[in-house]
Every structure is written in C-alpha cells, then in structure tokens.
C-alpha cells in the first residue's frame, strides 16, 4: 500500500474552516453572460429579480467582481454541525485498482440531506429569514436539495414548499417522509397546483417531469404567494458561491499535507457541486498560479456540455424564468427517466458554461450502467454506498486511475463524492436485476428542442 | 450559548485511535456467568463452541481476565475508513432545551451500515477469513447488523448468509438491496429453509419473527454447512469487546478536552452498543477511580432489564444455542412489532446483566411514541435523522437534561447515537400520520414466557 503518513481522512480543525465563500467570477476574464429579461432581452436588474429572489441573494447573484463574501456566523455555526466534510484518501480503491495514481475524494454525504446541497440551503434560508419572509418554494430532482432545504428551513423556522420531479417522487418514496420530518410540504411535479403545471400536463400528459418543469411551478408559487420567495439548489451563481466551501475545504486539506492535485473531477447536472469543488483550483488556474485538468461528468442521457449548444435559453420548461446563457439542450428537452435525478437538467451553470467555452475545463458523458458498475465497485471497496449522481464522478476517476496504471504516471486525482445512495435502492435493485437501460437522445431529438431556443441578438 | 472552546465535533487523530479493545470483564469482581451446555448444564468448552463460532472469537468469548486485546492491523485499517466517529457537542440541543446540562453524543451512524454494528462485523469477518472459512451466517433485526456484516464479508471476500426478522424485512425493503449490493443473500425469518424455521412457522403461522427465531435459523445453517460459522451482532462477550472501540474513542475525546462525564446513556437491545460505549467508564467505576451514572434504555414493549428475570435461558427461540444467564423475558417471548427492530430481543448481554444485578447501572423503559417525539425533535434541532433504536437514548438524554434545567445542575451527559434512520421512514410515516401505537406486554404474558425458562440447578 502507498505511503501512510497521509491519513485515510483529512479533517480540518474548526478554526481552519473557511470564513468566506470564494466568488470564482471575480477572477474570470470572460465573465459569465448576465441573466436577461425575456421581454426586453436586457440584463435583469436587481429590482426585476426582487419578486423572485431574496434581496441579499440577488446581490450575490449579480456581483462578479467581489472575490470573497464573508460567511455569516449563524451559517458558520450550522456548518459546524456537519462540516468540515472529510477529504478521504482512497487507499483501498488505489490498491484494488493497482494504480500508481493517488485518489482523493471530498465526501459531502455525511449529513441527513445526504449531499452537498445543505451548504447552499442553509445560506439561502438564512437570508430569507433575515429578510423577514414567511417561507420559500423550490424544486427538487433526486430529493437531496429538497431535503436539505427542509432541514435549513426547519432550523430557521421558515415554511418550505417543495415541487419534486415526479419520477423521483415515485422512485424515492421515503425522501418525502424525510422532508415531512422537517416540516416541509412536498408536491409531485408537474402538478395541477399551478398554471404552468396544468399547461405542461396538458401538453405532455404522461410526463415523469423534469427539473425544468418543477422550477417553473416553484417560481410561480413564490411570486404569487405573499411573503414567499423562490430558492434554487443549483445553476445560479449564488449557489456556486455557497458551494465554494467544498473546494475551499478540499484545497485547505490538500495544502495541509503539501499535496498538489493534478485532476479534479465532478459530476455536473446544474453545476452546484462541480462549481463549488473546483472554485479555488480554477481560481489558481485563472490567475496563472497553477494548472489543473478539470473534468465535468454528465449522463449520456442528458449531455448539456457534450452535445448541447452555448446559447441563451430559458432556465425552466414553463419559460417563466429569466434567460441564461449556458450550454443547453433546450428548455423543452425532457430527459429520459434515468436514475440520477439530480443530473436531469437541460442546461448548465452560466459560470461553468463560460469556463468550458473558454477551454478551461473538459467534459465527458457516461452511460448509466457503466456508472452503476462503478458505484457498486466503489461501495464494496471503499465502504460508502454512493448516490447515482456522485457515481458519475467515480466512473471517470476510476477510468483516469486506470489510465495512470497503463502509463505508470503517479497523478493525484481529486473527485467530488457528493452524496450517498441510501434513497436510491430502487435504482440499485434494477441494476442488480439486469433491468437497467441506457438512454441516449437522438441527434434529431436534441436538434428539435434546440430549434426552439429563444432568439437573442 | 455555552463556552465555545470545545468544538462541535471532537475527532481523534488517526494515531490517537485505540490500538486494543478493552475487555470489561477483566475488571469485574463478579464475572458474568458462563454459557452452559443445554444438555449437561456444564460450562461450554471451547471445543463445544467450535462448530458454531470461529476459533479466535471463542477465545475472546471465554476470556474474562485479559483486559486488552490488540486490534489486528487489517481491522485497524478498515476502521480508518469510517472511524474515528465524532463525539458531538449538542450545542443546538442544549440551547433549544435551555438546559445548563452539557450534552455530548457519540455518533456511530456515518457509515453505510448506518450504525455501530460495523465495528464488530469487520472483526468477526476478519477472524473467519483468517481461519480459512468459506462464509458466515447471521441474523439481523433492523437490518443494520446484516448490512454491516455484508460490508465486512465483501471486504474480505467471504460468503454472507443473512436471516432477517420478517417484520424488518417487510418494513425496510431497501435494506435487502443494500446487502445485495455487498453480495449477501438475505432470507426473511422464520423461513422454510431450516428445520427450526419450519417448526416455528408451524407453531406461530402468522409470526412476524424475532431476533430469537432468526438466530436459531442462522445457527442451524452454519452448523450444517461445510466451511461456515455463525456470527452474532450483539449479546455475546466478543461483541462487547469489539464495540469497546466506541467507548474508548469517546473517553479519549473527552479526556482530550478535560471533560468529565456524569451520566452515560445508551439504548439496550442485546447490549452491543451500550456495552461498548460504557466499557472504559464502567472500568473506572469498577476500579474505584471514578463514578458515573450509567443508564440503559429499553423499549417498553420488550423490557428485559426492567421486567425480566435474571436467570439462565436460551439465547434463541429454537433453543439450539447454549444457555446464557441474563435478564430475560423468556426465549418464547415474541415482542410486539415495534419499530426499533434492533431492540426486539428477549434477553440481554450476560456482562451487562451481571453489572445491572450488581447495581452498577440503571435501566429505564420508554414508550414508542415518546421515542419518536424525541427523534423528530432531535432531527430538527441537531440535523441528524436518528434510528428508532438510537432514539431511545435520545429520549432519556433529553429527559435528564430537562431535570438539570429544573435543578440548575450543569451535568455532563454523554449518550450513544448508534445510527441513522434513513431506512426507517415507514416508521416515521406512521408517526407523522398518528398511526403509531404503544405496546406494553401484560404481566400475564411475561409470566407465561418466563414459566418456560429452563431449569438450571
């Protein structure tokens, strides 16, 4: 086995935990394109965003020059309940693969939401409470964001209304009960509770839903209910800002042991985990201080980066949200019901899209069954049963480690293990029973949904 | 809020982790009574136990004089994958309760088995592998032990055959899938796969099973299959020995910050968690170095300590195991199908039984709905969704903290949070829907099963 002066798990001390979030945009030469008002096609102003988002979060959303935002003490105290998350040296995986690569993963699953989503949920709930709001609405795919927000709202005594993508609602019956334990209300989306939901149901009666649909419903509900705002678990700049705590901790843990990463790998749905994990590494790369290979991994069934177009598009299916410039498959694209509900989003964070377009990061797509093979392998070797979403990163980390085995290179690989799969056992069961399918959208299907992109001069 | 020099979570460094297990029996003046051969009523010899248990584990089982057993390096390496577990200061709970008490919990749920059970599973799998066996059989109640053993067997490439108490098998459908992910085979018990299972099914056709039944089946399977042995997740001395890692870590974490515990609280089914958690504290108490109040918490539906009899009894329903002297409700007692499957055992560890009989620890029983009230309260305040079993300890920790509030005493309470409740959402749902019942066996029911105790002169 490899050298043993590096512990299996690197934990920061409480006083080593980040006291500020890092805003990657401040170091980008090519800033992410602004959100546009779909009516005027002009950049959205703070005033225009105010009916949808909390005031303080709007500031964070629009600020692309301030490098650091102090983390309020209330949030840092909450972080201390479940953070720092460990940076784990995958000694057992390395040995099993017989690779000279050194593999680390930042494990965000050791909290009841089961994922990194809590990092931003608590921040958004805090600012909503501070503004004196009654409650918030949101959508959830795999259910992890909804659970995280339920926990955060319960902590600050806020109402929480969750629209859950129907396929996840059905595949993960117990997620609803966890959210209920934290006092949230959960509705399968699309629903007849909103106008936009009704329209979508009429157009696609048998739909299993998508993050795009659920966002539309949650936004409508927030903007039509007194004292409510909408909050979102991914895609937005503010979310990437909060999630930078993942990368900052990971970087601090590596620095503590003088470890230089070569490759950083994360799964990418809307970009919350990936954007957070890579933030300080990408910052060094942007400032020319260090170089890293940074790899986004997405499902072949929903390949925004690898087969999408970099263009302005709606963030939601119902087209009630501002336009964002991003790698997109078209807001009309409804991905096949694969088991990584958290990655079934037609678009991608504007920040990550710009970085990808500038050639600062790579992207690969992987097949569902290959992902579950990696998931089960990892569970047996490293003991942690991973979420399907996280397993996309595991798949590529293993692939890269095997390449090192061929070339003999001792690369240091860091990947994001965003969460646990305890609520994904239906998917694992299908995999065990050989009933899992791979879905790849046809070129025609993607071209069709891309043909409906809004026209922005 | 209280003083903040003590972090929310105390983690030991890797080099501070225990290198030996502590055998509490070595410090007991009144040793636990030996296992008896049910035929001869003489103490079981190592040779008599050999068809059932692994050789090395028999040594640990029978040795009541050696205080420390070195933890083999292979096991210590596995421990490093998920240990040390944090000793958490429940700052938020203290603040919410407005108590002067200082509350700590040792959280054993941050691993895929979801509980402390992995501590002994890996040890037992290691010794089975070292002996060159093909596989092991076991029973599981809540499913946590079965999952833990599946993980451990997968790590050492051993077959794993699990008999799962039927009520848990039905309440926790996804547990089976987790075990399957780790390559185990799982059978609901009682089953028609064994002679003893057939007999029990004939006598109680509608039974939802019990740990006692499942043990009988697993023992029969092990002793009738070449290259197999039986392993057990609780009750036995060897298990308490392995689980002492919980208490040793907790004690080391407290010592690191010069904290003296006043009250130690743990849930008690067969005694694995409680015996492990209290080991070093009870050791100090036995040696007259320190005093502690030690409280066992059991379900009112299965009250071995508080309403049972201290007598020799069968460890299993099928009466195929040796006799153990313990607090028991009678091996014929089948507890109501409450939702803390891990605590539904008619007996109690012989070691703990002797300590209780000697007045060295207390026991209380609690009602199921009160337990779930505490569970939900804790989840909302401390963020961790607890297992029903663990919530028994939470209930009494809160009650003790509230007593401190009345008296103004600043007691330091340490309790064992043995695991998470992610696979217990059916139970939480019943609780939310107001459909949860409390079960209390009648005096007549207990007297009836106690009337069938074996006669031991």
């Amino acid at each position: 086995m490899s050298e043993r002066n590096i512990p299996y798990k690197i934990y920061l001390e409480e006083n080593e935990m980040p006291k500020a979030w890092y805003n990657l945009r401040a170091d980008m030469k090519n800033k992410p394109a602004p959100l546009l008002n779909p009516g005027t096609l002009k950049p959205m102003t703070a005033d225009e965003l105010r009916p949808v988002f909390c005031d303080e979060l709007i500031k964070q959303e629009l600020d692309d020059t301030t490098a650091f935002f102090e983390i309020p003490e209330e949030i840092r105290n909450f972080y201390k309940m479940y953070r720092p998350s460990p940076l784990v040296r995958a000694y057992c995986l390395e040995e099993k693969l017989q690779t000279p690569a050194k593999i680390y993963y930042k494990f965000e699953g050791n909290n009841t939401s089961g994922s990194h989503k809590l990092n931003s949920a608590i921040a958004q709930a805090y600012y909503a409470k501070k503004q004196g709001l009654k409650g918030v609405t949101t959508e959830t795919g795999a259910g992890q964001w909804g659970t995280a927000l339920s926990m955060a709202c319960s902590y600050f005594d806020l109402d929480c209304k969750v629209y859950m993508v129907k396929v996840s609602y059905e595949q993960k019956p117990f997620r609803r009960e966890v959210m209920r334990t934290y006092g949230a209300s959960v509705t399968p989306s699309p629903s007849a509770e909103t106008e936009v939901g009704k329209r979508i149901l009429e157009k696609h009666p048998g739909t299993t839903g998508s993050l795009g649909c659920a966002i539309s419903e949650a936004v409508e509900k927030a903007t039509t209910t007194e004292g409510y705002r909408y909050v979102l678990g991914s895609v937005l700049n503010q979310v990437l800002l909060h999630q930078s705590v993942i990368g900052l901790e990971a970087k601090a843990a590596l620095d503590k042991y003088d470890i230089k990463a070569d490759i950083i790998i994360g799964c990418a749905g809307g970009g919350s985990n990936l954007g957070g994990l890579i933030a300080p590494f990408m910052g060094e790369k942007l400032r020319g201080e260090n170089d890293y290979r940074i790899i986004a991994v997405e499902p072949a069934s929903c390949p925004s980066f690898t087969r999408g177009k970099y263009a302005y598009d709606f963030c939601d299916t119902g087209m009630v949200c501002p336009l964002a410039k991003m790698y997109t498959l078209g807001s009309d694209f409804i991905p096949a019901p694969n088991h990584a509900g958290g990655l079934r989003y037609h678009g991608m964070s504007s920040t990550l899209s710009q970085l990808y377009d500038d050639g600062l990061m790579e992207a690969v797509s992987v097949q569902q069954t290959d992902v579950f093979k990696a998931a089960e392998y990892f569970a047996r070797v490293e003991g942690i049963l991973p979420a399907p979403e996280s397993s996309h990163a595991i798949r590529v980390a293993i692939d890269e480690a095997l390449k090192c085995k061929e070339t003999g290179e001792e690369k240091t690989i860091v990947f994001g293990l965003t969460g646990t799969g305890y609520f994904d056992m239906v998917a694992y069961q299908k995999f065990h029973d050989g009933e899992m399918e791979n879905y790849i959208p046809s070129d025609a299907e993607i071209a069709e949904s891309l043909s409906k992109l809004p026209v922005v001069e």
Side-chain angles (χ1 to χ4, degrees), chain A:
Chain A
M1 232 179 249
S2 325
E3 82 285 13
R4 270 297 153 78
N5 52 336
I6 294 165
Y8 277 67
K9 298 191 296 310
I10 307 177
Y11 279 109
L12 300 179
E13 301 289 326
E14 228 172 57
N15 58 18
E16 296 171 319
M17 287 170 66
K19 293 181 183 56
W21 294 303
Y22 167 58
N23 181 13
L24 180 56
R25 288 167 291 162
D27 284 311
M28 289 169 68
K29 267 178 220 145
N30 299 326
K31 304 290 183 190
L35 295 171
L36 297 188
N37 179 315
T40 65
L41 299 185
K42 298 238 168 83
M44 291 289 288
T45 62
D47 281 344
E48 288 171 324
L49 289 169
R50 224 174 294 281
V52 182
F53 296 129
C54 305
D55 297 351
E56 200 65 35
L57 292 167
I58 293 171
K59 280 191 208 160
Q60 296 179 354
E61 189 63 32
L62 298 179
D63 187 335
D64 59 10
T65 55
T66 305
F68 288 95
F69 284 81
E70 196 190 320
I71 308 174
E73 196 192 349
E74 290 88 339
I75 298 175
R76 281 195 283 129
N77 281 343
F78 189 88
Y79 278 172
K80 286 179 196 164
M81 286 207 289
Y82 71 100
R83 308 198 66 81
S85 72
L87 182 73
V88 186
R89 173 72 181 268
Y91 280 118
C92 295
L93 182 61
E94 291 171 19
E95 187 172 306
K96 191 84 174 178
L97 294 172
Q98 290 285 306
T99 176
K102 293 167 182 18
I103 310 175
Y104 293 85
Y105 53 93
K106 180 70 170 165
F107 180 41
E108 292 286 321
N110 273 349
N111 69 74
T112 293
S113 81
S115 82
H116 66 293
K117 294 289 186 181
L118 199 49
N119 303 330
S120 184
I122 192 64
Q124 298 194 47
Y126 167 79
Y127 292 117
K129 186 70 183 180
K130 208 178 153 200
Q131 196 175 321
L133 297 174
K134 270 192 230 162
V136 292
T137 71
T138 199
E139 81 298 330
T140 196
Q144 295 175 323
W145 166 249
T147 309
L149 190 68
S150 305
M151 293 172 69
C153 286
S154 163
Y155 186 75
F156 285 125
D157 200 18
L158 277 170
D159 283 352
C160 181
K161 170 87 185 157
V162 181
Y163 291 89
M164 186 169 187
V165 177
K166 195 177 273 174
V167 63
S168 294
Y169 187 88
E170 285 163 3
Q171 277 174 6
K172 306 183 181 189
F174 296 151
R175 279 277 185 206
R176 185 190 60 236
E177 220 46 53
V178 178
M179 292 187 238
R180 225 173 140 199
T181 300
Y182 288 94
S185 84
V186 190
T187 307
S189 166
S191 80
E193 275 186 12
T194 62
E195 293 309 312
V196 67
K198 284 181 208 162
R199 280 206 306 276
I200 294 168
L201 281 173
E202 209 166 292
K203 199 169 160 200
H204 307 278
T207 181
T208 52
S210 72
L211 278 172
C213 299
I215 292 173
S216 300
E217 292 204 83
V219 170
E220 181 184 318
K221 187 78 180 175
T223 51
T224 55
T225 313
E226 180 68 26
Y228 277 72
R229 291 294 184 282
Y230 167 70
V231 297
L232 179 61
S234 192
V235 183
L236 296 174
N237 296 321
Q238 59 190 268
V239 176
L240 268 67
L241 175 70
H242 306 147
Q243 293 296 357
S244 69
V245 71
I246 303 173
L248 293 166
E249 278 187 13
K251 185 77 174 52
L254 291 170
D255 289 350
K256 205 167 164 174
Y257 286 87
D258 286 323
I259 304 158
K260 162 70 175 64
D262 296 304
I263 309 177
I264 322 279
I265 301 167
C267 63
S272 70
N273 152 65
L274 184 70
L277 173 67
I278 69 172
F281 303 97
M282 185 60 89
E284 289 190 346
K285 189 165 173 167
L286 288 165
R287 297 190 302 271
E289 296 163 8
N290 251 322
D291 198 19
Y292 301 97
R293 265 188 78 197
I294 294 176
I295 309 176
V297 190
E298 57 185 18
S301 60
C302 193
S304 329
F305 268 141
T306 51
R307 296 177 66 197
K309 189 173 166 184
Y310 190 36
Y312 266 105
D313 195 7
F314 288 95
C315 296
D316 61 325
T317 311
M319 306 183 186
V320 302
C321 292
L323 301 178
K325 191 175 179 190
M326 55 185 179
Y327 276 85
T328 179
L329 297 161
S331 66
D332 209 43
F333 182 83
I334 297 196
N338 79 52
H339 290 285
L343 305 183
R344 295 176 72 243
Y345 182 63
H346 68 276
M348 183 57 66
S349 141
S350 287
T351 300
L352 295 180
S353 292
Q354 185 61 48
L355 292 166
Y356 181 61
D357 200 57
D358 287 341
L360 289 157
M361 51 186 277
E362 307 164 31
V364 292
S365 75
V366 289
Q367 296 275 17
Q368 186 162 231
T369 50
D370 291 333
V371 165
F372 274 82
K373 271 179 215 160
E376 183 164 282
Y377 186 86
F378 182 83
R380 291 188 181 195
V381 174
E382 284 287 318
I384 297 171
L385 186 95
E389 291 82 3
S390 324
S391 305
H392 286 67
I394 297 174
R395 173 73 272 163
V396 173
I398 289 177
D399 292 345
E400 289 295 329
L402 290 175
K403 282 184 206 163
C404 288
K405 187 177 178 176
E406 278 179 28
T407 62
E409 287 172 293
E410 287 190 27
K411 287 190 179 156
T412 295
I413 299 169
V414 176
F415 73 89
L417 187 67
T418 55
T420 50
Y422 306 143
F423 290 93
D424 299 286
M425 297 321 295
V426 169
Y428 274 92
Q429 184 169 356
K430 280 201 176 161
F431 174 67
H432 294 145
D433 293 343
E435 289 168 5
M436 180 170 280
E437 289 176 57
N438 289 315
Y439 306 94
I440 306 182
S442 68
D443 288 341
E445 197 180 332
I446 292 178
E448 163 73 15
S449 61
L450 285 178
S451 72
K452 295 175 197 159
L453 286 181
V455 180
V456 178
E457 298 295 297

